[in-house]
Amino acid sequence: MFQKAHFLFTILCSGTTIAIIILISLLYLHVSESSLSENQFRSFQNDVSTIAASLENASSISIQWLERIEAQNGFTIYVIDNGTPFLYNSLRDSHDPSGQRLLKESLEAYQSMLQSSLPEAGNAEMYSITFDNDRDYNYIVTVTTSFAYYGIRHHEYQFRSATTGSSYYASIIDIEKDSARTQIVILNALTALNAQIFRQRLRFLLIDLAAAAMLLAFSFFFTGRILKPLRDNQEAQMQFFAAASHELRTPLSVMLASAECCEKANAEEQKSFFKTIRKEGRQMNNLLNDMLTLAHAGTNRFPIEKAPAQLDTLCLNVYEAFDSLCRNKKLSLSLELPENIPPRCFCDSERIAQTLSILLHNAVSYTPEGGNITLTLKYRESAFQHFNNNCFLIIVTDTGSGISDADKKHIFERFYRTEKSRSAKEHFGLGLSIAYEIVNAHHGRITVEDNPGGGSIFTIMLPESSKAQA
């Protein structure tokens, strides 16, 4: 399930971003290509204007001049003198008949443009050109154009040639002098512009592909990090259910076995079996209560009823409750309280006492005979570590077997028990989890560290006020 969700989230996150990048790229390319084409067309218009100005006072058009203009600007120039193509064009196109077809296409495009877009085309004049095959070709040149002075006028436009498969900027310069008419057709192939646009599109394609690959990798990693807590939580729940089932199965099996034995046992033996059933039943009841407590903590409905409490009195009561148990196990239990009476702590005194009972019970269970256990209460009158106001420290120190560094990372997890404690049936691995949840509900902290003399030191830090933040 998580693998499918990981894949879908990756596609969703990266796909949305990639779509936005592609859209922005397309918009940029459209604007950029329009700007390039516009600048190229303006440059062509300026070149044509320069050529028209040079023709204004020229008495003749030489082949050398045409060759120079074509070489300098990359143009293809056709000259039509009174309807007859110039000899220069005939010589150039003698081995390439596509030249005449290109000229016809440019004139047809010009005529079509005038008829469709210029209202004054109705006042245009009809002219005829005779090509090498002695067939006349008629075309229209309008009298009113975008540029006219001293008998010279020109108009620029764009067309695509079916003969060459290329696009062109074209201009027709119409010159009238002494009742003679000369038309100069200037063609500028857009090969360089199209190549520039193609390279730009290719660059953007490669950039978008690289961005898409990086976004896919980042989205895969990012969504994996997002889903990791959910996956870990599911795994923890599965482990919790498995461990709970295991813990419940053991006392239940003992109870069922004892119940079956009672059917065939005598009165004295039945008392022993009933005692076993009651013992296992109490263990099951304790386990279920612990599980319900943690269930409330997992749903943010942990029952905490805070009120001003005197922690020194609370510690003294817990000490007295465990004093006889420690003496029976030949353990030394001591209590250290502040010299001055500390202020009241705003907390749930019953829950704090439950936490201390859990810590002391663990200390009694894992401290060998002759060991020492100390319960200490301290009050800090200034900011301490993660607290912004005064706080209380409740410390439980033992000289037991201690906790390895690997176990320290997991001891507050549910149903986690160190290898040395797995044989103790009274420990379900939930006590420290409950202690952690209680302290956390009070916006406090609980830590564990090694005792330099051997054993462990558990420290509970509680804020004095309920407004303190962890």
Side-chain angles (χ1 to χ4, degrees):
M1 180 183 72
F2 280 100
Q3 290 182 349
K4 183 178 180 180
H6 190 186
F7 174 77
L8 292 178
F9 275 118
T10 299
I11 296 300
L12 177 63
C13 295
S14 60
T16 303
T17 309
I18 291 171
I20 294 174
I21 291 176
I22 292 175
L23 179 60
I24 294 175
S25 298
L26 292 176
L27 291 175
Y28 176 83
L29 285 174
H30 174 73
V31 173
S32 177
E33 291 174 9
S34 299
S35 178
L36 287 173
S37 299
E38 184 178 354
N39 292 336
Q40 185 79 4
F41 188 69
R42 287 179 180 175
S43 177
F44 176 71
Q45 286 179 319
N46 293 334
D47 292 338
V48 171
S49 298
T50 302
I51 294 173
S54 65
L55 291 172
E56 179 182 357
N57 299 319
S59 58
S60 62
I61 302 175
S62 65
I63 294 178
Q64 291 78 9
W65 181 83
L66 292 174
E67 290 178 343
R68 180 169 58 83
I69 295 298
E70 287 186 336
Q72 288 179 351
N73 300 280
F75 294 159
T76 299
I77 301 177
Y78 294 91
V79 181
I80 303 169
D81 188 14
N82 291 322
T84 303
F86 202 43
L87 177 61
Y88 171 76
N89 305 126
S90 300
L91 292 175
R92 184 183 57 193
D93 299 336
S94 60
H95 301 292
D96 185 10
S98 62
Q100 291 186 0
R101 293 196 297 270
L102 182 60
L103 176 59
K104 288 181 181 181
E105 290 174 344
S106 65
L107 296 175
E108 288 173 351
Y110 181 55
Q111 179 174 322
S112 176
M113 182 270 296
L114 291 175
Q115 290 176 335
S116 62
S117 63
L118 296 179
E120 59 271 21
N123 300 323
E125 301 177 3
M126 182 74 70
Y127 296 97
S128 177
I129 300 177
T130 302
F131 290 100
D132 293 342
N133 55 8
D134 297 328
R135 182 168 61 83
D136 290 344
Y137 172 74
N138 296 323
Y139 74 101
I140 294 176
V141 176
T142 183
V143 175
T144 305
T145 60
S146 62
F147 184 88
Y149 62 94
Y150 299 110
I152 297 180
R153 53 186 176 267
H154 62 86
H155 193 84
E156 289 72 47
Y157 58 97
Q158 183 178 351
F159 77 99
R160 183 174 180 80
S161 171
T163 301
T164 62
S166 301
S167 297
Y168 293 84
Y169 288 145
S171 177
I172 292 182
I173 302 177
D174 192 18
I175 305 173
E176 293 184 77
K177 287 185 180 181
D178 301 329
S179 301
R181 183 175 222 88
T182 302
Q183 289 85 35
I184 300 177
V185 181
I186 301 177
L187 303 180
N188 180 23
L190 302 182
T191 306
L193 177 62
N194 292 334
Q196 182 179 0
I197 291 175
F198 173 77
R199 289 193 298 269
Q200 181 173 261
R201 290 179 178 179
L202 182 60
R203 284 196 297 269
F204 269 83
L205 176 62
L206 295 176
I207 291 173
D208 287 348
L209 289 176
M214 289 188 290
L215 280 171
L216 282 171
F218 174 77
S219 298
F220 184 82
F221 171 77
F222 184 70
T223 54
R225 292 293 298 271
I226 292 178
L227 292 174
K228 186 177 184 301
L230 298 177
R231 184 167 51 247
D232 294 343
N233 183 58
Q234 186 188 46
E235 293 178 356
Q237 288 182 352
M238 297 301 294
Q239 293 175 359
F240 180 84
F241 293 143
S245 300
H246 174 75
E247 297 292 350
L248 289 171
R249 185 185 299 114
T250 301
L252 183 59
S253 299
V254 174
M255 293 171 64
L256 291 174
S258 298
E260 291 178 359
C261 292
C262 283
E263 297 179 355
K264 300 178 181 180
N266 54 38
E268 191 66 25
E269 292 175 340
Q270 285 180 354
K271 291 181 180 180
S272 176
F273 288 130
F274 287 147
K275 182 179 179 181
T276 301
I277 292 174
R278 284 194 297 271
K279 178 182 177 183
E280 297 297 331
R282 284 194 295 269
Q283 288 186 358
M284 288 185 65
N285 183 66
N286 293 335
L287 175 59
L288 291 174
N289 289 334
D290 290 346
M291 292 174 63
L292 288 174
T293 300
L294 291 175
H296 286 304
T299 57
N300 295 323
R301 293 187 290 107
F302 198 79
I304 293 291
E305 297 180 1
K306 293 183 179 181
Q310 201 69 45
L311 289 185
D312 54 350
T313 302
L314 185 148
C315 290
L316 180 60
N317 293 336
V318 174
Y319 165 80
E320 292 176 348
F322 277 84
D323 184 51
S324 60
L325 176 63
C326 290
R327 284 200 303 268
N328 292 336
K329 291 197 172 185
K330 298 180 181 180
L331 299 174
S332 173
L333 177 62
S334 58
L335 175 64
E336 297 179 1
L337 298 176
E339 294 182 0
N340 299 322
I341 298 176
R344 293 178 180 270
C345 177
F346 194 75
C347 64
D348 188 329
S349 57
E350 293 185 3
R351 290 295 186 181
I352 298 301
Q354 180 183 3
T355 302
L356 295 181
S357 297
I358 292 172
L359 297 181
L360 287 174
H361 194 274
N362 284 344
V364 170
S365 299
Y366 304 129
T367 301
E369 293 184 2
N372 299 316
I373 300 175
T374 304
L375 175 61
T376 306
L377 173 65
K378 295 182 180 180
Y379 176 69
R380 300 283 183 175
E381 296 183 352
S382 59
F384 182 73
Q385 293 197 6
H386 297 275
F387 299 102
N388 298 325
N389 63 346
N390 303 340
C391 70
F392 295 92
L393 300 180
I394 306 177
I395 305 170
V396 176
T397 307
D398 65 67
T399 57
S401 56
I403 303 173
S404 66
D405 293 337
D407 290 331
K408 286 189 183 72
K409 301 177 182 178
H410 304 284
I411 58 172
F412 296 112
E413 297 177 3
R414 301 175 184 184
F415 285 109
Y416 184 84
R417 295 182 297 186
T418 61
E419 293 297 329
K420 294 181 180 181
S421 65
R422 291 192 183 276
S423 59
K425 293 177 61 178
E426 65 272 15
H427 292 277
F428 301 109
L430 295 178
L432 290 178
S433 298
I434 294 174
Y436 175 84
E437 296 293 346
I438 292 174
V439 174
N440 188 58
H442 283 80
H443 303 289
R445 292 171 61 87
I446 181 170
T447 60
V448 60
E449 57 184 329
D450 293 331
N451 185 359
S456 303
I457 301 175
F458 283 86
T459 302
I460 299 173
M461 292 171 277
L462 295 176
E464 177 184 352
S465 171
S466 62
K467 299 180 180 180
Q469 297 180 354

